[in-house]
Amino acid sequence: MKKFFALIGVVTLMLVGMTTSNFAQSANDQYGFGNRVFLIQSALESGKTANGLWDVPGVVDNKVKGLAPSNVLLTKKNVDWKQMTVYQREPGDPADRVFVFQPGQGGSAGKYAIKFAKHPNSGVVAIVSTGKVEARTTANYFEFKYLGNGKWKIYTQPGTIICLETSSAKNGTKLVLRPDQNGPHTEWVFYDASTNQSFIPVEQSAPEKSDLTLDQVLGNDNLAQEYFSKVDAEKFLSENNESVLQTELGYRKAMEQWNFITYAVRGVKLNKDVRARRAALTAISSSEIKKGGNFAEKVLATKTAENLTKIAATEKDEICRKLINEIAEKMV
């Protein structure tokens, strides 16, 4: 996945700032998408390849005279560009691959319009009469249902979803409307262009609070599991803003390191705040984790790594699972 998300073009990164004014501030953004810019990928390919991204077929012609920049997206050439499909990722993330989610108001409250990040006058429309999903100079409001593990369903109306035409995300596979059903071809992952991670909604981030601080935990390993099971992302990132956790682990002897890491990972596994889990595991993984020196240490390192691998096997979040496995691999 690092390779998949390593190539974020300058244009894409600028979109976050450009879209701020496009959101109705009074609308209820129940999932907390805010002004983020997203790539939408099929769950069939998520975590595996760079394929399966929402796309408008054709080539963008940026030299058409008489059109404002917000209308350039409409100048697709040599294809019926309105039909939405999926396609592999390309350098720079073209303008027809990045989206913003605008919360609705009034009769559309609780729903979101899917708009092109650089083309706020254009968006995604469901054509009920044909079952097509098209790009047009308007946008419908859709209901998003979070399934957990970074995966979503998108409903055009009760009982009708946006899914792939077949159980494949190969280039050119169409987005279509179908009766609600299950399977990876019906599920989508929203990748935040600013963090390069799948988006986890704010409603999933409600852990039990703890009065413990990171400094207290670093002085008493027995508190580590409780702290990491309850700390929220903002608190951990604030308390570790100078990488005190990484520094402390670097000072410790190998066996002391592994003991603390074991307590910490066990706690992280219990934390309901996925962002906090990812942040804590990223900090641990980026530490200078030591390998065993003598025979006894190597045996303990292997055993500790095996235990961490078992924890990773039960981890549902793919990023957390990968980070735990990385930590285990560094020990042996």
Side-chain angles (χ1 to χ4, degrees):
M1 290 302 291
K2 287 184 178 179
K3 181 179 291 185
F4 177 25
F5 287 104
L7 191 57
I8 293 292
V10 173
V11 173
T12 299
L13 293 177
M14 291 174 63
L15 295 177
V16 177
M18 295 175 63
T19 58
T20 302
S21 62
N22 298 329
F23 288 84
Q25 297 300 316
S26 59
N28 179 28
D29 182 6
Q30 62 179 318
Y31 287 121
F33 293 120
N35 299 322
R36 294 176 176 86
V37 174
F38 295 96
L39 298 155
I40 304 177
Q41 187 186 29
S42 168
L44 283 169
E45 299 299 325
S46 176
K48 301 175 184 177
T49 74
N51 298 332
L53 296 174
W54 279 28
D55 169 59
V56 183
V59 178
V60 175
D61 183 357
N62 290 309
K63 298 181 181 180
V64 175
K65 296 181 179 180
L67 288 180
S70 63
N71 291 324
V72 170
L73 183 65
L74 306 184
T75 64
K76 293 284 181 177
K77 300 187 296 185
N78 305 320
V79 72
D80 179 13
W81 63 269
K82 289 183 179 180
Q83 173 69 60
M84 296 285 294
T85 66
V86 292
Y87 206 82
Q88 68 192 42
R89 197 173 190 190
E90 294 180 346
D93 294 327
D96 58 339
R97 306 281 177 84
V98 284
F99 303 87
V100 290
F101 303 146
Q102 180 176 333
Q105 302 181 73
S108 297
K111 299 181 179 181
Y112 292 85
I114 304 175
K115 295 191 173 184
F116 293 96
K118 285 194 67 179
H119 303 275
N121 295 326
S122 300
V124 178
V125 173
I127 311 299
V128 177
S129 61
T130 63
K132 291 184 177 181
V133 179
E134 298 186 348
R136 293 195 174 187
T137 52
T138 182
N140 289 157
Y141 284 91
F142 301 90
E143 181 181 353
F144 293 172
K145 179 180 179 181
Y146 184 61
L147 305 176
N149 304 325
K151 298 176 182 179
W152 303 75
K153 277 189 175 181
I154 301 175
Y155 288 81
T156 62
Q157 60 187 20
T160 303
I161 59 172
I162 295 179
C163 64
L164 291 171
E165 188 174 36
T166 65
S167 296
S168 167
K170 67 180 181 180
N171 289 345
T173 301
K174 296 178 181 179
L175 302 185
V176 295
L177 307 182
R178 291 289 186 267
D180 193 7
Q181 54 194 276
N182 297 318
H185 69 294
T186 72
E187 301 169 357
W188 308 100
V189 177
F190 303 153
Y191 281 102
D192 185 337
S194 66
T195 64
N196 303 330
Q197 294 184 349
S198 56
F199 180 79
I200 304 298
V202 292
E203 69 171 14
Q204 301 298 311
S205 303
E208 181 182 353
K209 301 295 183 180
S210 172
D211 294 329
L212 290 173
T213 66
L214 182 58
D215 284 341
Q216 289 175 313
V217 172
L218 294 176
N220 185 348
D221 290 6
N222 293 325
L223 301 175
Q225 182 165 329
E226 178 183 350
Y227 173 82
F228 285 103
S229 68
K230 298 178 180 180
V231 68
D232 60 55
E234 286 71 21
K235 180 177 180 179
F236 174 76
L237 290 171
S238 175
E239 294 180 344
N240 196 49
N241 66 334
E242 296 182 356
S243 300
V244 292
L245 174 58
Q246 292 93 316
T247 301
E248 170 63 22
L249 288 178
Y251 287 146
R252 294 190 176 205
K253 295 180 180 179
M255 295 176 67
E256 294 174 345
Q257 261 194 358
W258 307 333
N259 185 63
F260 179 89
I261 290 173
T262 298
Y263 280 121
V265 172
R266 286 175 179 170
V268 167
K269 183 65 173 62
L270 300 173
N271 198 316
K272 296 179 182 179
D273 187 339
V274 179
R275 290 179 57 235
R277 288 157 60 193
R278 291 178 175 182
L281 292 171
T282 297
I284 296 172
S285 180
S286 65
S287 303
E288 185 182 350
I289 299 177
K290 299 173 182 176
K291 300 180 183 295
N294 56 43
F295 177 78
E297 286 184 347
K298 290 180 179 180
V299 171
L300 180 59
T302 300
K303 184 63 177 177
T304 303
E306 289 176 352
N307 289 335
L308 293 179
T309 300
K310 290 179 181 179
I311 294 175
T314 64
E315 173 58 60
K316 295 182 178 180
D317 181 70
E318 64 179 77
I319 293 176
C320 290
R321 182 168 62 249
K322 181 178 179 181
L323 287 168
I324 295 173
N325 282 324
E326 286 180 356
I327 293 168
E329 290 170 2
K330 291 181 178 182
M331 293 179 177
V332 295

